[in-house]
Amino acid sequence: MSSMQKDDSYDANSNRSSGCDKGGAPGQFQPSVKLAEKMQKLAKWRIDPSLIDFPKGAPELHGGHATVSRAMLRSSSSNSGDFGKADNHSDAGSKLTLREAGFLVELSHANIIKLEGLVEDVSKGIVWLVFPWEGNGNLRDFIASQDWEIPERIWLIDDVARGVEYLHNQNPPICHGDLKS
């Protein structure tokens, strides 16, 4: 299972946009050197957008910087299944999303969500991070879904603390920056 961000204006079957970036010919996108390096580092994580289906009526959650959508990833590999996509809402968001993907591919911890892959077309401002779908939603929704006893709540807090500790022990340390109670 996974979650993904969805941009309704994106056509998975189209190629490059007709816009141009600094110094490029019309119809040809030229990313900055730094952005090209980030995209190259993440090349093995790319997912063909034509392999992603968004079921009608699938849940979609909107946040300040992204939309999370439920989708299905078609593949001959063992990664096939239920996924979610997180979609950024701006060019700056695309760059931040690529930065986040760069961090996520390096992390491996039981309390940190695993990045399954990404769909990117920066010429169109599209960067989708593909994660396993969490059927119970985010932690706040999960906690609100039942009347949890104190020991269970402490267990959840401990899981979050272990994940944050792992991030802070990276070199250089990683600050989550978006934890909510």
Side-chain angles (χ1 to χ4, degrees):
M1 292 187 198
S2 79
S3 61
M4 296 203 294
Q5 295 176 334
K6 178 183 173 190
D7 182 346
D8 293 329
S9 67
Y10 181 71
D11 178 1
N13 298 316
S14 67
N15 288 324
R16 293 287 179 197
S17 74
S18 60
C20 64
D21 198 14
K22 299 173 191 168
Q28 183 179 10
F29 175 75
Q30 295 181 354
S32 69
V33 172
K34 190 173 181 178
L35 184 57
E37 287 172 359
K38 283 182 184 180
M39 291 176 359
Q40 181 60 36
K41 179 183 174 188
L42 296 167
K44 71 179 184 178
W45 297 94
R46 282 198 184 111
I47 295 173
D48 181 346
S50 69
L51 296 175
I52 299 171
D53 293 322
F54 295 96
K56 210 170 201 54
E60 222 176 65
L61 306 166
H62 302 279
H65 301 288
T67 299
V68 177
S69 305
R70 188 171 188 173
M72 295 294 293
L73 176 62
R74 293 185 324 270
S75 172
S76 59
S77 74
S78 60
N79 284 0
S80 294
D82 212 3
F83 285 83
K85 158 185 106 54
D87 211 14
N88 55 297
H89 298 309
S90 68
D91 184 46
S94 294
K95 291 175 184 171
L96 289 173
T97 303
L98 282 172
R99 182 173 182 249
E100 182 177 353
F103 287 131
L104 287 168
V105 299
E106 301 293 328
L107 302 176
S108 178
H109 190 273
N111 302 108
I112 304 291
I113 194 163
K114 180 181 182 266
L115 179 70
E116 296 290 336
L118 72 135
V119 173
E120 64 81 13
D121 186 345
V122 292
S123 69
K124 295 181 180 178
I126 304 296
V127 181
W128 300 343
L129 299 183
V130 180
F131 297 101
W133 180 259
E134 300 297 335
N136 291 314
N138 61 34
L139 183 58
R140 184 180 345 167
D141 294 341
F142 181 68
I143 290 171
S145 70
Q146 294 187 39
D147 188 19
W148 297 98
E149 298 295 325
I150 296 298
E152 294 161 322
R153 290 176 181 263
I154 290 172
W155 175 72
L156 291 170
I157 292 167
D158 183 62
D159 281 352
V160 171
R162 288 176 191 264
V164 171
E165 178 184 42
Y166 171 78
L167 293 175
H168 290 183
N169 285 326
Q170 297 302 297
N171 188 12
I174 298 172
C175 175
H176 187 286
D178 193 25
L179 291 176
K180 297 174 181 74
S181 59

